[in-house]
Each structure stands twice: as C-alpha cells, then as structure tokens.
Amino acid sequence: MTTTDRSTAAWNIREVLQVLHPIRYATFHENSPGGDIQKKPQRFSTLLLEHGEQELQDWAVMASSRRYTSSSSSSRAKQRDANDASVSWSSRRSIQVREEGDIESYSQFKNVKSASSSSLLRRDSMTVTTKERDPSNKMKSIKGRLHLCSKSIVFEPEDISRGIIRIPFEKVAIPPSSSNSSGSDMVVLDDASSIHSNRITSENTSSNSSSSERSITLQTKRYTVMKKNNKIAPYETYDKRTWFKFTFQHSSTKSFLQLFEQIYNLPVEQLQSVIKPMCDRPFDASNFMHLNEAPMTVNLRAFVLGPFPLAKKAGCVVVTDKRLYFQPFNGVYSEMASKALSWCLTDVVSFARRYHGLQDEALEIFFKDGPSVLLAFEGCRNREEVLRLLPITRDVEGISVPVVCHTDRSFLSLVVDAWRSGQIDNFDYLLALNSAAGRSLFDLSRYPVFPWVLSDYKSAKLDLTQGTIAENAVDALSSTSISKVFRDLTKPIGALNQERLENFKARWKNMQDMGDAFLYGTHYSAPGYCLYYLVRTMPEQMLCLQNGKYDAPDRLFHSIEQSFSSLLVNPADIKESIPQFYDPKSGIDILLNLRGLQLGVTQTGIIIDDVKLPNWAKSPKDFLKKNRKALESDYCTKLLPSWIDLIFGVKARGEMAFKYDNLFHPNAYLCPKDLDQMVTDTEKMQAELHATEFGICPDVLFSDFHPRKNDFHLECSALIAPDYGRSYVHDDKNVDKRNSISSVDASELLKSIQSKLHAAARNKGVQQQESSDHEKKDNKDNSNTIIEIDPKDFSTVNKKELDTSTSSIMLSGSGLSTKRADEKNRENKDNPQLYSTTHSESDEITNHRQERIDGWTFKALACKQIHAGEVSGCHLLSGEYAYITTTSLDGGLMVHTLPTSESTKRRTFSSMALQGRYQTRNQSESSMPLQFHKFRSHQSSDPLSCLAIIDDENRGYIAFAGGHDDVILAYGIKSACGLASVFSHRDAVSGLVLIEVPVVSNGQSTHIMVSSSWDATVKLWNVAVSDGETVRIGKEAIAELYEAETPIHCVDALYIPEVGILVAAGGAGSSLIVWLWNIDGGKTVLFQKDARPGQESCSCLKWCNNTDIILFAGFQNGRILSFTCKHDGMYPVAKLNLGSPINCLDIVPSCPVVFAGCDDGSLRIISSATNGQFVDDQPQVWNSVNGQSSPGITSLSVISEEDQAERYTIATGAKDGSVAVFRIEKV
C-alpha cells in the first residue's frame, strides 16, 4: 500500500468510526433521517405496551367515561347472574360469630354479616375503589386517538395534560359492543364533576341512532394511566370498574369490532395471520422522491428497530437506484399508505450485519449525517438482498473511498492495524470491536460493552501515573507493579474479588453432575444492566421493562463509588461499563437528572437525583474527561489486549474461558445455529427470551492472544478467528449486483458447500488416523468452522482452507469444549466425591441422636449450619432426589441433597436417607450420620423472607422466593438460574403460597400465587408453569386484598373447587383476616380480628381441608387457635398454650397432625381431630432439634411416608442458620 493509500485509509477509518459514537438521547428524534415524522414524535409509542406487543390500527374518537355503579337495574342483574354461585356460597359462610366462654380472645373478632346477596354486591362495589379519584374515570367528550393493539386498547388524548389510558384485554369485564346494540345503558356526563347513568328512552334512541352506530362501550376492571401532563413517570394503575365510551369521528365501529373479535383471546402464535393482510399491502409509489427512480427490490417485510432502543415499527422496505425507503404499516383496515422514511444511498458511510434476537437477519446502516437505522428482515435472504444493493464506494472530496461492512474480515483487519499503528485511540477501537462483534446502540441485549478501568473512587485526587507494566509482560500476571488506581483488566469482573470467586467455583463444582456447568449465572451486559446506567437517559425504556415503575431506589444508579463497590462484593453484580462513561459529549445525560425524574428515596433517606461523583471529579464533564484519560493511559493501553481476549478473543469461550474464570451460563453463548437445532417453537422462544434478557456474549473475533500496540509480529490473517464473518459479501466491482446471488438464500448455498467440505474433511481424516491427539482435536474443532468460499466457483474447495487449524473455541453452548466436558465427566464418575462440598466434623452433627419418648422415636439424620442468617423458609422434597431448599435473611437461596443409594428402588425419603453413599456394608444405620451436599445456590442482595416450591410435572422444581426488595423470584432448581421475577409490593414480601387451580381467569395459567407484604396488602397472581422448569408470572396482580390495617407477617390460602380461594393473613397486634376470592374475581371479607396494641403478632397460619375446613393460627404469645368453616358461618374451635412463641406451622392433613416450631428451639406435635379440636392438652415436645445450643425454630417442612402410618421426615431451619433433618415415628 502506498503512502497516499495509507493516509486515505486512515482518514476513512476515522470517519467510519465517528458514526459509531453514542449520541445524546434528545437528538434521536431531532436528527433522525426521514423528515418531519421523527421531529415531532407522538406521545403514544410501543414503549407504553407490553414487550413484544404490536399496534394494529388507530382511529380518531371522542371519549367519555364514568365509574361503574350498581344503580342501573340491568347492570345489577347482570352482576347478580355472574356471581350467583359465589354469592350463595359466601352468604352461607358469612360470619355469624358466637360468644363462647372457653375462648377469651373470641370477643375480639368482628361480626361481619351478609344478610342478602344484594348487600354483598353493594359491599363488593364499594371495595373496588379505594385510591384517590382519577380524572380518567370522569371524562366528557375528550378528543383523541384510539389504538387497538395485540393485547390491549389504548386511548391517547389530544390534551397532553390528560394521561394515556391503557386497558389490557385480560382486565376487560364487558367486551366492546356497539352502543345501539348493547341495550339501554349509555354513558351520560353532566356539566358538573358528578357522573351518572341515564336510561335511554325511545325518543333518545331515535334521535341519536346515527351517533350510536358510531359509538362503542366497554367496561374494565382495571386500567393504567401513563404520561400525565406529558411527563415521564411511573404508571398509575386503578382497580376500578369503569365504563368507557368511544365515538368514532370519521368511520363506523365495524372495523374496530371486527378486528377486536379476531384478536381477543387469540394465542400469540396465531396473531400473524391477522397482521399478514396489512403486511402484504404494496408500497405507495407516491412516496418516491424522484420521478425517474427505478425500484431494485420488491416489497420486503421488515421492522425498524428505533429510533431508540425497544422501539419497533412494522413496515416494508424498498430499495431504488437512488434511495432506501421504509413505509410503516398504517393499520389492518387502512387503505391509505403512510408517509415513508427514506435515506439517500450516497450518504451511506458503512453498514453492519446485526442480530434480531437470536436470528441473524438484521442490518444496520450508518450515514454521514444523523444516526444509523437498524432494519430487521424476514430472514437472512432479504437482508443480504438489500446489503448487496448498497453502494460499494463513495466520493469524498474527489477521492473514491470504500463503503465498509463492520462485520467483514477486511474491516476488522483494518481497525486492528490502525490501532496497533496508533492511528486510532482505545475508545474508537473498542467501538469498532463491538460493532464487528454484532453489538449496536439500538439493541439493549447486545449493547456495546466497555471495561471499568478505574478502581479508585475515594481519593481526593486521581493519580493516573501509578503502576507500571513491564515492556515484555504478556499481561498483569507477569507485570512488576499493579496500580491501586486502575482495575485489573486481566480478570473479568467476577474474578476481581478472590473470596467471591471461590464461592462461584464451589458452585461450579457442585453442578458437574447436572450437565453444563458455569461460574456466573448473570452476565456482564444485559438490558437491565444497560438501563441501570441509562435510566436518566432512557426512563421510558426502564418503565417498559419494569412493568411501569422504576427499580427500587436503593438499586438505582446513584453513586459511582457505590456501583463499583457492588461489583466487587455482590454475587449477582458482574456488569461491565458502557461507552457513555468515556464520551464527554454523550455521557452527561447518564449522570445528570436533566428531565427532573422522580426516582424515589433510598431507605437511608437519600433522594435519587444526579449521580454522586467521586471526590476527584469537579463536575460530570470533568469525571468523563478523566475517565477517558484513564482509558487512553499507557497503563490501560498495555493491559487492554488482555481484556479484549476476555470479551472478544481466546479467553471468551472454551478451555481458556474456564482457565481464566470467564465461564457464563450456557444460554449466554447461544447463536442462530443453536436455534435452528431446537425442535419446538416454545423451546426456541424460551431460549431466545433467556438470552436476550439475561445477556449474550459477543461474537468471537480473535483466535490468538491480542497483540499490544506497535506489535506487528502476528499478521491479521492469523489473528482473526477463521470462522469470523457470518456471510459472504460481494466485493467484485466488475460483477453486476443485479445479477449476483441476492435472490438465493445464503444459508442454502452454505449448506451445499458445507456438505462437500465435510466429505473432504472425512476423507482427509481417514488419511491422518495416526496423527497426534492435538491434531485430532484441531480437526474436530474445525469441523464446525464456516469457511469462506469464492462465489465465482461454488464447485471447488480450497485445499489450503481445509488445512487451517484453530484453537479450541466454542461459539455456542456452555463455553467448555467437548473434550473438556468429557474429561470432567470421567473424573466425576471415577471419583464421586471430587465435586461434592467438603465438610468439617464441626459442621455436621457428630452425635447421631436417637430418642424414644412416650411411644415416639426420634432419629436425627443430618444437621448443619448452612446460612449466615436466620432461615426464613425450608422445604423438603422427596422423589428421585432428596432436595432440601432453604431461604435466609442473609439473602441466600440454597438447595442441598442428602445422598441416595443407586440400588434403592423405593423412592421414599426415609429409604434414601437410610442408605448413604458413604455407608459401607458393615456399617450400621446408626453409626454413620448423613451429610448435606450443596447442590444449588443463589444470592440476593437483600434478605429473603419466604419460600414456596412447586413442580412442573416433569421432575422439575421451581422455588419461589420473596424478599425485602419487594421482588418475587422464580428459581429453577435443576436449571440453576432465575426463571422469572415480578416486583410485587411496596414493601418487603412476608409470605408466599402457590395453589394449583384447574381453571383461572385467563384460561392459560396453572397456579395462583398468593403473596403478602409488610405494606398490609395481599395480592393474587397468575402463574403458568410448563415442562422444562418454564415459568411465566403475570406482570400485574389479578386481585389486591387491602382491608388489613397492620403489616402482614404470614399468609396461607386454600382452594375450594368451583367456589374460589380462601385467603388468611396474620399480622401485628394479633390481627387476623380471612377473605374469599371468587373465581370470577369478586372478594368478600369473611373474618377480621383487629390489631390490639401491645399484643403479640400472628406469626404463622395453616389451612387444612380434610373432612372440615380448619384454619390453624400460631401467635407469638405461644398460643395456637383453630377455626372451622361450616355451612352457616365460621367458628373458633379450640386454643392451646404451648408456652413458647410459635414461629412456624406445618400439618399432615390426612391425620391431621400439627407440627409447631417454637422460639425455644423445640418442635411440638399436636394431635387434632378432623373438626379442629386438639386431642391432647399436652403435646409431644422434642427439645433442641437443631443442636444443643437450642436455636429458635423459624421454618419447618414435614413429609409423611406413604406406606407408613405416623412416620414423618422433618426438616427444620433455625435462627442461627442451621438446618436439621430427622425422622419421627409413632411406635
């Protein structure tokens, strides 16, 4: 290359990299190509919908509304018919409390009577609305647009002071219907603020017939209000039955009702059949900018993914000889084409292949003025067709420079040489590598990843001269001095803290027998982590992903020092940085609350506003400049290749990832090839959802260690990974692009080529059977390599390319090579104790305790302190494996196993516990205590306070844990990862119950989850569980029970077929309340005991449905009470004083036997009759079941042997973090 060529290439590469720089969010709309459409965006956008929901059509309407009341006789009759079954049952069980002298606390309970079904209805209607009045339920002739979407109805008022109203389909009580056919109920709004309903007379009907033909009415149980006064703020949800009326201004209601009828309750997989007609509408030729433009393509279905992350618009793409056009779809029934966006082809600077989810079918195009555009097509073929029609060169000041593709080998080779020679800085180089690896500023799941380079955020002055790296040092391991100012770039974030890394490794060892093992269950870059930094820049995106609210204030980005400290100690926090931290032009927005967002107040009273900067930063701009200076420092420049190896190079996958502590969850390595191998759509959807939400590793760029600056000993052809580059790009200027292979699917071409390559490789393998093991390994790794073939001759195979040898780098899967996994499996098989957690004698129980008292035998099986804090939940599972799942106030969720015998055929817990893997043939049962084996662990940053376990009917188990961070997490015990989560309450979650219900409100869920909180509410949630530990939790609660007046400490629920769910909640001051939640959504307060100052709280509850329906309640004053529900009311039955505060209860319904864990460390066994009476006033007591120190029992779980009467296996958790397992049997 001549000197002129070098200078031209260097100038061109700097301009190409300039378009990769992040821009300020406010300029996304102002500078976006395409005219006025983007300069004045609508208030409504897909960010206000559920993730993945689509807008189908919109109409100009006049809206009015009123709150639902039962004054209308027809409405009352409909409601009475709908609730007939539940009302009759509720009236039978309405409280008629009777005083009895033997229960002194009985007089404290309220009499809640229901004299008739009409009074119950009146009470139901009154309890629906408790929040402050909302103007949305008293609208009067408000202009706006009605959007019909795939899962909801949205009304967007023209008046920006009014909020946008979203009505989910699942909350619609009475579906939309034309007003003239819906009977006699119409919405009439008077001039004052009051709202009432008038019955339409025959005169009204005749005079308003034309208007009623253009109006629809609907009733909803819940609606959400967003963007009041056009301000971005958490959404407001109102649990109010409300009537809405929409009068169409320029059309009839026919199109709306027809489309709504089609999509209402329509499965997601069938939605495309409804959308297809609008997708096939032809491109409107009036959108062409020039009369002589020649179209080069037909209509290509596509999505524009922008102009900001998570935004998505469907339409079609057409490329002409002058411009690229995108015409948005204007709706299913619209005959008028919308105005198209267009971009001039001569303005194209560069382009890059991108991913859409896990599909390799998107294309990002960069322009010299304004931001880029990201298009997602229907398949790789359409993408390649558009790509080949983009210009090959462009004119810059009379010089012809190439239009480069960021995902081509030539571009990667160019930027590597430019960085090594000092033509570009570290910031531009990292942007180029991110783009080459498939990452884009428009895609939060593949957002550009940058390193944290500093570690000193406490000093008053930043000294960037500290630390030296030896000139001949390969990495910091051989350097002479490691700076305390800089972060160690040779290690991933998860390995910066050695103590935390050892915990990760211990978990990895315990996962060996479960298949793919990993060190980190989270990722260094994911949508949630990116929005953590960008919340002040992209608040709407966080509201979209967080169900309409910001994250808890304590977890928001508010301090640089606190964020970095969390990276060092929090097991769930291993996130890297983003480009804005090193760009003074675009980074200001992420540090300053320029929008005045109300982000909340932390538990320590700190108002979340601007980000707190380190002491050495004078201002946000000064912080960004010093951060950039640190990135470009000599110290960082010398260590940057080691970090590149971890993210983009040889340490990113395979054995090197394992060696350098850089191994992530297998789903983080998924690629389109893995998706193609999956059989069912559900499997593909779950894999894509997990990968895009929890993080995806970038494409591997390099197959050798990255060189330092000015190190040219390794040619780029040897440095770049042989299989890098996802598709072939035509670079022959002499070939007419119109006659190129754009009409042929690239994947089909590659398949035909690969079949020849595999045959050639097999023949070559036969000739080299006596080669070394290393050569065999290389050949095996190369069998999956995509080799570039000259398209001029598809029938030939390049022999030199077949001989190429690469390192063992996995492009998908667990990150470990097949050979490494096989070796580990063999080691594990040969030595079954190799990966089990080691235990000291002090950890395990040393005295294999056996006792016999009053006809009961007690046998201790195992005991160990496994938590650092109080055990808040304990659950015992007996099946193919013996699982003990626990949660703790130390934030840990842990799963342990007790050893099983391979020869044991009867899968009862006791039979497995009796025969341990360490028990020899000559050892007696009592001489060898069992040991806990750590199986799974998950660490939360906040205390976990409750636990519930369910199965997926295919030997999969899901643990639901609620914590002090208001979050309920679903964790897969066998898959060892978080499956779903929901922000449930406004305070700590105090109780969880999951009930399997045959039929629920949406017809798709399998369980109802009942949660309680210190915020004095109980909520019910839809939960869908399917095979493979697949879980979906409803984003919104289906019911909220808010009649409690004090913080709730415990909850239990019982399903009654064809009636509903009984929910009992206990709280402070001995308060107790019982609801009936009907299947149709209504609720009734059946029983309420007010809190009394100075009294101990109700700490635990258990329902029992044997012959009678019994409720057992344990209190901190040591008393246990029983209540029974009969046909004419609910009665207290018995009480018993145990002499020690009761912390937990469990029951065996078939007996029934009540087990109580007490604060003095004892376990009490209380025999009960089926009517709730306690058989014996002196229950059986087992003291100090968790050890001689007698810690208080805080949780317990009981299993009854199927073939043994009165034989129980019990697990107990205690205040000191210990867990004990023992067996009790009546002899």
Side-chain angles (χ1 to χ4, degrees):
M1 182 181 293
T2 64
T3 304
T4 303
D5 292 336
R6 287 184 180 273
S7 60
T8 301
W11 183 89
N12 182 49
I13 195 62
R14 285 195 294 269
E15 184 188 19
V16 169
L17 298 182
Q18 187 66 36
V19 300
L20 293 174
H21 286 212
I23 63 174
R24 298 188 66 178
Y25 181 71
T27 64
F28 266 53
H29 300 86
E30 299 167 3
N31 299 334
S32 178
D36 295 336
I37 288 181
Q38 297 298 328
K39 290 185 179 180
K40 189 178 180 180
Q42 295 180 340
R43 295 173 65 208
F44 172 81
S45 73
T46 53
L47 292 179
L48 302 179
L49 307 177
E50 284 188 20
H51 191 54
E53 187 176 358
Q54 300 183 48
E55 180 194 8
L56 303 181
Q57 185 76 47
D58 67 316
W59 296 264
V61 298
M62 297 284 287
S64 56
S65 64
R66 66 176 174 86
R67 198 180 74 185
Y68 165 78
T69 62
S70 59
S71 59
S72 171
S73 59
S74 61
S75 296
R76 187 165 58 248
K78 293 177 183 178
Q79 186 69 15
R80 185 167 57 248
D81 293 340
N83 295 308
D84 181 63
S86 61
V87 167
S88 61
W89 191 91
S90 300
S91 61
R92 290 199 311 268
R93 300 208 173 193
S94 60
I95 281 300
Q96 298 178 0
V97 180
R98 302 178 180 179
E99 297 287 337
E100 294 189 12
D102 61 334
I103 300 183
E104 61 186 23
S105 62
Y106 188 75
S107 60
Q108 301 169 7
F109 291 82
K110 284 186 176 180
N111 245 330
V112 185
K113 294 188 177 182
S114 176
S116 64
S117 60
S118 60
S119 66
L120 176 62
L121 288 174
R122 284 195 295 273
R123 183 168 67 252
D124 285 346
S125 65
M126 292 173 63
T127 58
V128 169
T129 58
T130 60
K131 297 185 179 180
E132 60 181 353
R133 295 178 63 84
D134 170 47
S136 302
N137 68 6
K138 54 182 180 180
M139 294 189 300
K140 178 181 178 181
S141 301
I142 305 300
K143 275 188 175 182
R145 298 202 68 82
L146 186 66
H147 302 265
L148 182 57
C149 306
S150 56
K151 297 180 181 179
S152 63
I153 299 170
V154 179
F155 174 64
E156 176 191 8
E158 285 187 2
D159 183 0
I160 63 172
S161 66
R162 290 184 173 272
I164 297 174
I165 300 172
R166 180 175 182 267
I167 305 170
F169 287 167
E170 60 184 13
K171 299 302 177 183
V172 173
I174 299 179
S177 61
S178 183
S179 294
N180 62 333
S181 62
S182 61
S184 58
D185 283 327
M186 289 290 290
V187 179
V188 180
L189 304 170
D190 58 17
D191 294 334
S193 60
S194 62
I195 303 171
H196 62 273
S197 175
N198 289 344
R199 189 175 180 86
I200 296 181
T201 62
S202 57
E203 293 85 357
N204 298 136
T205 305
S206 59
S207 62
N208 297 327
S209 59
S210 60
S211 175
S212 63
E213 291 177 355
R214 291 165 48 188
S215 300
I216 61 169
T217 58
L218 63 92
Q219 185 190 115
T220 179
K221 296 179 288 186
R222 174 183 292 182
Y223 59 92
T224 301
V225 180
M226 307 167 285
K227 300 183 79 170
K228 283 185 178 179
N229 296 313
N230 208 29
K231 290 185 178 180
I232 301 173
Y235 305 160
E236 299 177 11
T237 299
Y238 295 90
D239 292 311
K240 301 179 179 180
R241 283 187 177 267
T242 306
W243 284 100
F244 286 93
K245 175 184 175 182
F246 301 104
T247 302
F248 290 69
Q249 298 297 290
H250 309 298
S251 61
S252 68
T253 62
K254 182 178 179 181
S255 60
F256 176 91
L257 293 174
Q258 285 181 349
L259 184 56
F260 179 84
E261 184 179 357
Q262 282 183 290
I263 64 175
Y264 190 58
N265 287 331
L266 187 70
V268 177
E269 57 270 15
Q270 299 180 18
L271 184 62
Q272 294 304 318
S273 62
V274 178
I275 301 176
K276 191 176 184 298
M278 72 176 182
C279 299
D280 292 335
R281 193 161 292 124
F283 184 85
D284 187 355
S286 64
N287 279 316
F288 287 140
M289 300 287 290
H290 304 281
L291 295 177
N292 59 347
E293 284 189 75
M296 308 290 286
T297 66
V298 296
N299 294 3
L300 302 174
R301 296 181 193 171
F303 290 94
V304 163
L305 305 180
F308 38 78
L310 297 184
K312 187 175 182 180
K313 185 68 176 178
C316 66
V317 168
V318 170
V319 183
T320 70
D321 56 345
K322 293 182 174 63
R323 303 183 74 85
L324 182 146
Y325 292 89
F326 175 80
Q327 177 179 283
F329 294 136
N330 205 26
V332 176
Y333 291 106
S334 177
E335 298 297 332
M336 183 181 298
S338 57
K339 185 177 180 180
L341 307 175
S342 70
W343 300 266
C344 183
L345 294 181
T346 58
D347 290 336
V348 176
V349 174
S350 57
F351 54 90
R353 295 178 178 86
R354 294 287 185 246
Y355 294 97
H356 182 211
L358 288 179
Q359 301 286 354
D360 184 14
E361 57 189 18
L363 175 65
E364 186 171 10
I365 305 174
F366 301 87
F367 304 93
K368 64 180 181 181
D369 296 318
S372 60
V373 59
L374 180 60
L375 301 168
F377 295 89
E378 283 191 342
C380 177
R381 173 178 176 175
N382 290 349
R383 191 266 309 275
E384 294 299 314
E385 184 174 354
V386 172
L387 186 148
R388 290 184 176 88
L389 293 174
L390 297 178
I392 299 173
T393 60
R394 61 190 183 94
D395 184 78
V396 178
E397 299 179 359
I399 301 175
S400 180
V401 296
V403 174
V404 297
C405 177
H406 297 176
T407 49
D408 277 1
R409 297 175 64 86
S410 58
F411 172 80
L412 184 56
S413 177
L414 180 65
V415 295
V416 170
D417 283 341
W419 180 80
R420 288 196 288 190
S421 60
Q423 297 174 14
I424 59 176
D425 58 17
N426 295 343
F427 179 75
D428 282 341
Y429 186 48
L430 290 176
L431 284 176
L433 295 184
N434 273 281
S435 185
R439 305 184 82 82
S440 167
L441 291 169
F442 287 120
D443 189 351
L444 290 177
S445 65
R446 299 177 188 270
Y447 205 77
V449 55
F450 268 59
W452 283 81
V453 298
L454 292 173
S455 63
D456 182 10
Y457 297 101
K458 297 181 180 180
S459 301
K461 184 178 180 180
L462 185 65
D463 184 4
L464 298 179
T465 62
Q466 288 190 25
T468 58
I469 302 295
E471 290 298 328
N472 59 348
V474 177
D475 55 28
L477 297 177
S478 57
S479 63
T480 59
S481 175
I482 299 297
S483 172
K484 294 182 180 180
V485 174
F486 290 91
R487 167 255 179 117
D488 187 352
L489 290 173
T490 66
K491 299 177 181 179
I493 288 288
L496 294 180
N497 184 331
Q498 187 62 32
E499 181 180 355
R500 183 177 64 168
L501 178 62
E502 293 303 321
N503 293 332
F504 286 138
K505 289 183 176 180
R507 181 180 66 176
W508 176 84
K509 291 180 179 180
N510 291 325
M511 295 171 59
Q512 292 304 299
D513 58 344
M514 296 299 296
D516 289 321
F518 53 87
L519 286 176
Y520 313 118
T522 56
H523 202 254
Y524 51 75
S525 179
Y529 297 159
C530 295
L531 290 178
Y532 169 83
Y533 296 123
L534 299 170
V535 60
R536 294 166 181 78
T537 303
M538 302 181 185
E540 289 183 279
Q541 279 77 356
M542 175 169 279
L543 292 175
C544 179
L545 290 185
Q546 297 278 1
N547 300 327
K549 61 182 180 181
Y550 298 123
D551 204 347
D554 290 274
R555 293 196 300 270
L556 288 176
F557 178 40
H558 63 275
S559 166
I560 301 292
E561 180 184 346
Q562 184 273 337
S563 295
F564 187 76
S565 298
S566 176
L567 298 177
L568 299 179
V569 299
N570 189 343
D573 192 356
I574 56 170
K575 55 180 174 287
E576 287 281 9
S577 186
I578 57 174
Q580 283 87 342
F581 274 92
Y582 305 95
D583 188 6
K585 294 182 179 179
S586 65
I588 296 292
D589 288 347
I590 71 172
L591 301 176
L592 297 179
N593 188 11
L594 300 177
R595 297 169 178 260
L597 303 173
Q598 301 297 318
L599 299 174
V601 181
T602 67
Q603 295 181 8
T604 57
I606 300 175
I607 299 175
I608 304 299
D609 193 26
D610 297 340
V611 176
K612 182 180 179 181
L613 302 175
N615 295 330
W616 46 257
K618 299 178 181 178
S619 65
K621 196 165 188 177
D622 181 59
F623 168 78
L624 296 172
K625 286 182 176 180
K626 289 178 178 177
N627 234 20
R628 178 68 170 269
K629 187 177 180 180
L631 178 65
E632 305 297 341
S633 67
D634 180 66
Y635 183 93
C636 185
T637 299
K638 291 180 178 178
L639 285 184
L640 189 60
S642 296
W643 185 86
I644 293 174
D645 290 337
L646 292 169
I647 307 299
F648 306 106
V650 294
K651 303 174 187 176
R653 288 172 173 81
E655 294 190 34
M656 295 292 283
F658 174 77
K659 176 181 178 181
Y660 285 90
D661 305 320
N662 197 36
L663 199 59
F664 296 91
H665 191 280
N667 284 351
Y669 303 97
L670 291 177
C671 64
K673 182 177 64 175
D674 301 306
L675 207 63
D676 294 338
Q677 295 174 354
M678 297 178 185
V679 179
T680 65
D681 292 338
T682 302
E683 186 181 9
K684 294 179 180 180
M685 181 183 67
Q686 290 296 331
E688 194 158 4
L689 181 65
H690 187 281
T692 54
E693 287 193 1
F694 291 92
I696 309 175
C697 290
D699 292 348
V700 174
L701 304 181
F702 307 110
S703 59
D704 204 339
F705 290 101
H706 194 287
R708 288 187 179 182
K709 263 193 175 181
N710 301 316
D711 181 1
F712 291 91
H713 80 278
L714 192 65
E715 293 292 334
C716 284
S717 57
L719 175 65
I720 298 174
D723 48 3
Y724 172 70
R726 285 172 271 151
S727 300
Y728 173 80
V729 181
H730 207 296
D731 59 358
D732 189 348
K733 301 179 183 180
N734 299 322
V735 179
D736 186 358
K737 288 184 288 186
R738 300 187 191 182
N739 297 325
S740 68
I741 61 172
S742 63
S743 61
V744 182
D745 192 343
S747 63
E748 294 178 357
L749 287 173
L750 286 174
K751 287 179 181 178
S752 62
I753 300 167
Q754 287 296 317
S755 62
K756 296 180 181 180
L757 293 178
H758 290 169
R762 285 194 299 269
N763 293 334
K764 181 180 179 181
V766 171
Q767 298 172 4
Q768 298 181 349
Q769 288 182 356
E770 297 180 0
S771 62
S772 67
D773 291 340
H774 179 71
E775 292 171 338
K776 290 179 181 180
K777 174 176 177 291
D778 289 343
N779 291 335
K780 181 178 181 179
D781 290 335
N782 283 333
S783 64
N784 292 325
T785 301
I786 301 176
I787 302 176
E788 291 188 7
I789 303 297
D790 190 343
K792 298 178 182 178
D793 185 4
F794 286 95
S795 62
T796 62
V797 176
N798 193 320
K799 181 178 180 181
K800 181 179 179 180
E801 290 171 330
L802 283 175
D803 291 337
T804 304
S805 176
T806 65
S807 302
S808 177
I809 299 178
M810 301 288 289
L811 299 183
S812 62
S814 67
L816 282 175
S817 66
T818 304
K819 180 179 179 181
R820 176 76 179 184
D822 291 342
E823 290 175 352
K824 289 299 178 185
N825 289 336
R826 286 195 298 270
E827 293 172 1
N828 191 22
K829 185 176 181 180
D830 296 337
N831 187 359
Q833 299 185 34
L834 182 60
Y835 295 109
S836 62
T837 304
T838 59
H839 309 283
S840 65
E841 292 182 359
S842 60
D843 289 336
E844 299 291 343
I845 188 169
T846 56
N847 178 19
H848 208 190
R849 172 181 168 190
Q850 298 189 55
E851 295 179 12
R852 181 167 179 167
I853 303 176
D854 297 333
W856 288 85
T857 61
F858 177 99
K859 177 181 175 57
L861 301 177
C863 183
K864 184 184 179 183
Q865 183 172 349
I866 61 176
H867 288 284
E870 177 181 311
V871 179
S872 56
C874 181
H875 196 96
L876 201 55
L877 290 169
S878 65
E880 184 177 359
Y881 297 95
Y883 297 108
I884 303 167
T885 306
T886 55
T887 54
S888 171
L889 297 185
D890 66 3
L893 185 155
M894 303 188 74
V895 184
H896 288 77
T897 61
L898 285 182
T900 63
S901 173
E902 296 180 356
S903 61
T904 303
K905 297 181 179 180
R906 191 163 49 118
R907 294 290 184 178
T908 62
F909 185 93
S910 296
S911 62
M912 290 187 289
L914 286 174
Q915 302 183 41
R917 72 175 65 177
Y918 307 110
Q919 182 177 345
T920 64
R921 182 177 302 177
N922 296 325
Q923 286 175 320
S924 66
E925 175 187 345
S926 61
S927 64
M928 196 65 176
L930 301 181
Q931 290 182 337
F932 286 107
H933 295 278
K934 190 174 179 181
F935 181 67
R936 293 284 185 265
S937 65
H938 172 83
Q939 187 66 36
S940 173
S941 58
D942 292 278
L944 296 178
S945 52
C946 49
L947 172 69
I949 304 283
I950 58 175
D951 64 82
D952 63 1
E953 298 184 354
N954 193 26
R955 298 183 180 179
Y957 299 104
I958 302 101
F960 290 78
H964 288 192
D965 57 357
D966 322 337
V967 175
I968 297 175
L969 168 72
Y971 180 84
I973 291 179
K974 292 193 176 180
S975 54
C977 64
L979 306 175
S981 64
V982 63
F983 286 90
S984 54
H985 291 271
R986 295 177 294 277
D987 208 332
V989 183
S990 59
L992 275 180
V993 184
L994 278 103
I995 305 172
E996 187 172 359
V997 181
V999 180
V1000 292
S1001 57
N1002 61 4
Q1004 298 177 352
S1005 299
T1006 59
H1007 294 74
I1008 293 292
M1009 180 172 68
V1010 182
S1011 63
S1012 64
S1013 170
W1014 293 352
D1015 65 6
T1017 63
V1018 173
K1019 294 185 179 182
L1020 282 71
W1021 310 78
N1022 278 328
V1023 175
V1025 178
S1026 55
D1027 290 350
E1029 294 188 336
T1030 302
V1031 177
R1032 178 178 58 83
I1033 305 175
K1035 292 185 177 180
E1036 295 181 353
I1038 59 176
E1040 182 174 354
L1041 313 178
Y1042 40 74
E1043 283 77 10
E1045 299 175 353
T1046 60
I1048 296 176
H1049 295 168
C1050 57
V1051 69
D1052 197 25
L1054 176 67
Y1055 172 65
I1056 303 175
E1058 301 180 0
V1059 176
I1061 296 176
L1062 285 170
V1063 180
S1070 294
S1071 62
L1072 178 64
I1073 185 169
V1074 179
W1075 295 271
L1076 168 67
W1077 182 75
N1078 301 321
I1079 292 178
D1080 62 356
K1083 65 178 180 180
T1084 306
V1085 177
L1086 295 181
F1087 195 81
Q1088 187 165 4
K1089 173 183 179 292
D1090 287 336
R1092 299 189 65 180
Q1095 288 201 354
E1096 299 291 343
S1097 63
C1098 177
S1099 52
C1100 45
L1101 295 164
K1102 277 295 177 181
W1103 286 101
C1104 178
N1105 188 7
N1106 194 358
T1107 304
D1108 296 331
I1109 298 177
I1110 307 296
L1111 174 65
F1112 296 98
F1115 294 82
Q1116 283 293 295
N1117 60 8
R1119 284 190 293 186
I1120 180 171
L1121 303 180
S1122 63
F1123 305 86
T1124 181
C1125 284
K1126 292 187 178 295
H1127 66 281
D1128 59 346
M1130 184 173 181
Y1131 297 85
V1133 177
K1135 70 170 183 177
L1136 190 62
N1137 196 328
L1138 302 186
S1140 177
I1142 305 171
N1143 295 329
C1144 49
L1145 290 174
D1146 203 356
I1147 61 171
V1148 177
S1150 58
C1151 295
V1153 177
V1154 182
F1155 296 83
C1158 298
D1159 204 53
D1160 62 359
S1162 66
L1163 177 73
R1164 315 293 178 98
I1165 303 177
I1166 309 164
S1167 297
S1168 170
T1170 56
N1171 64 355
Q1173 288 285 352
F1174 299 130
V1175 176
D1176 193 349
D1177 292 340
Q1178 298 296 325
Q1180 179 65 55
V1181 181
W1182 300 99
N1183 294 313
S1184 305
V1185 294
N1186 274 55
Q1188 295 179 356
S1189 61
S1190 190
I1193 303 302
T1194 55
S1195 58
L1196 65 90
S1197 179
V1198 181
I1199 292 178
S1200 176
E1201 291 296 325
E1202 297 178 359
D1203 55 350
Q1204 297 288 336
E1206 295 188 281
R1207 183 177 182 179
Y1208 312 103
T1209 303
I1210 304 171
T1212 56
K1215 285 187 175 181
D1216 65 349
S1218 65
V1219 175
V1221 180
F1222 46 90
R1223 190 177 67 244
I1224 295 176
E1225 183 176 4
K1226 186 71 175 289
V1227 295

